[in-house]
Amino acid sequence: MQPYTTTVPGYPRLGPRREYKRTLEGYWSGKLSEEEFLERIGQLQTSQLQRQRDGHLELLPVGDFALYDQVLDAALWLGCIPERFQSLWEEQGRQVTPTLYYALARGYQGIAPLEMTKWFDTNYHYLVPELPQEFSLNGQLLLDKWQRARQVTDRLKVVLIGPYTFLKLAKLEGPAVAQTMERLIGVYRQGVQQLIDQGAEVFHLDESYLVCDVPAEEWPAVQAAYEALADLPAQILLHTSYGGVGPVYEQLVRLPVAGLGLDFVRGREENLQALAQHGFPQDKLLVAGVVDGRNVWRSDLEAVFQLVREQIEPHLAPERLWLSSSCNLFHLPEDVELETELPQEIKDGLSFARQRLEELHLLAQALRHGPEAAEPGWSRARETHSRWMDHPQRVQDEVRRRVGQLREEDFQRTPYAQRDPLQRAELKLPPLPTTTIGSFPQTPELRKARANAKQDPEGYRRRILEEIKYVIQLQEEIGLDVLVHGEPERNDMVQYFGERLQGCVTTQLAWVQSYGSRCVRPPIIFGDVVRTQPMTLDEAQYAQSLTAKPVKGMLTGPVTILQWSFVREDIPREEVAYQLALAIRDEVRDLEQQAHLRVIQVDEPAFREGLPLRRADWDDYLRWAVRAFRLATSGVKDTTQIHTHMCYSEFGPIIDAIAQLDADVISIEDARSDGAIVRALRDYHYPAQIGPGVYDIHSPNIPTVEFMANKIRATLECLPVEQVWVNPDCGLKTRRYEEVIPSLKNMVEAARQVREEVTAKG
Ligand code: GLN
Ligand code: ZN
């Protein structure tokens, strides 16, 4: 391979027009036969490889193109087929057929799928492998991909999840890691050997868990794994993304592998320091992740050029240096050139996956033969970059001044103990008040109306108001205590605000995979954030005008907007969070003052996801994340009740931060976790009110009155009745009315029954 060979850990699978989504969903709905599905998805793999080849990428990844999730691919490759799927497995002739594959991903005839959780600190969700007693190789799926890729090019590397990271993604800890590694590594080796037999020479093993805290007792498992692979006749590259490897660097460079991949974007300082301090071994390749795989900003190519020349190259000969993106490009949309409605000066500042390949190509040219050899692209890139850096809308003096002048009281409310009785007197709610998380079903008619909104804005508006009226009436009929307007106007809880805030843009086609066929279009926060007019006021006002019951205003919190957007990097995240918080704070105030709402919810479902990968960095994040939430919500009267909502369990470690949010009521997803959160809150002596979800909205089943009443009773064994609310565990937007109506009726009845028991006792 030549010096500065360009490669990436992976490329988006969606295709420029979300062909991936259409193909998967076409197969699931029965529109495509299995044969048609395999044909189409294979073609998509091929065309995504062709795009990379045509983008001048020199070493193309194979194996990153998963049919749902790369971790599921790895699990199946290693024979992790849970007991409950055994009979299906036998039925399928012990083959990883599409039926079996999607059964694990999505469930099958009442058999629960694998658990889903977040991939590192991103909004991509992977499926958690369930490890078997005995691993065994299912190589065919990957071999098929290999064969297909070979028809595009012979410059290929096989991308696999590394054995250590695989076990960590399966949530193993401590001694179990080493014990399981012993059983795993032989099969893993066999799988690699099988590809070598087919002509594979380069293997990229993703060991990104090494950027997290690696407990000393787990290191021997890493060592043992790579020793077991050492004598294979192939180039094994151990790759890390999402941060630096400082704490393990010295051990890492001693592993018997052909090369190491390091992240010089997010882990830049740490990895440079490790290089400077310990040097780089003479016998290894360095795959340097120098362009960002995670965020969308155009690279400063001159700065990257300098970085390589001055800080990396002194440690090794160019023959042993390859160039890469910092991580798998699947966090990025495909191609910025497909955007037709973004202003050119903003497009100029962006690099999506295809543009990253161009950047790598220019860099390789410039490093090999001098920047002149990369002309005219090199100069054009430089000019565009500097024009972008001077973009006038980046700085808005007014919001800078507001952030600069924040005082402690802007983050403070009257203590909970004082405002609580005032709110109770104001709202006069019964014990165990019932409510929902905000959204009601997004029906096909609504989606259709939204798609036509441009042509017929009046009609769309009418449709939304009708929907709000329907939802309010429905909730009154069902007998809920605190109502919501149902969020019919929101296409997405973050994008909706992104479309309305100055300093943000939204896109037409910039989709990224969230999980399976689900895609999101994160807003792009490129400049200072300013709210120029109310964003949710009209709908809220209208909803409250229809009922005497309290309507709960519904906003997305600053941390969640930040976490689910592509965020500028020229100012600290903390500052962007405060800017967003001020915009939400103004909206909260308008809902209170103009719409006369007495209850306002500020959702923070992504609060936990933003937690840094290393424990040492948690406190700083939690400090400013808590402050941003408080800034957004502290501008209200004592009588106004602030709610928040979070999903995904494992709140234990951040319970203190949750208490510091100082919300009056928090609703949380707890329906599947057996009351763990409620017990944690009890042990913590959590002071305010809590609505642990009484049923799981992710399932189409209609929960019975008895089931939910028992759930409430169980909560009341931990918490006093004054602290408890009754609600589903998340928003209802993905459900159908046929499910929602009976479920909520049962929920209200369950609350009524338990309320009666409690009043009788008390
Ligand atoms: N209010 C939002 C809804 O009900 C919250 C969504 C979420 O938790 N992700 O849809
Ligand atoms: Zn939720």
Side-chain angles (χ1 to χ4, degrees), residues 437 605 645-647 669 729-731:
I437 306 304
H645 166 70
M646 293 186 187
C647 350
E669 179 179 321
D729 72 349
C730 198

Side-chain angles (χ1 to χ4, degrees), residues 210 219 222-223 226 238 251-257 260 284:
L210 295 175
W219 185 260
V222 180
Q223 178 121 17
Y226 285 89
L238 182 161
Q251 290 144 288
L252 210 53
V253 292
R254 281 192 237 117
L255 290 178
V257 292
L260 295 175
K284 289 192 192 357

Side-chain angles (χ1 to χ4, degrees), residues 437-439 487 493 554 603 605 645 647 730-731 733:
I437 306 304
S439 56
E487 306 179 25
M493 65 182 293
M554 200 53 62
D603 288 324
H645 166 70
C647 350
C730 198
K733 61 181 163 240

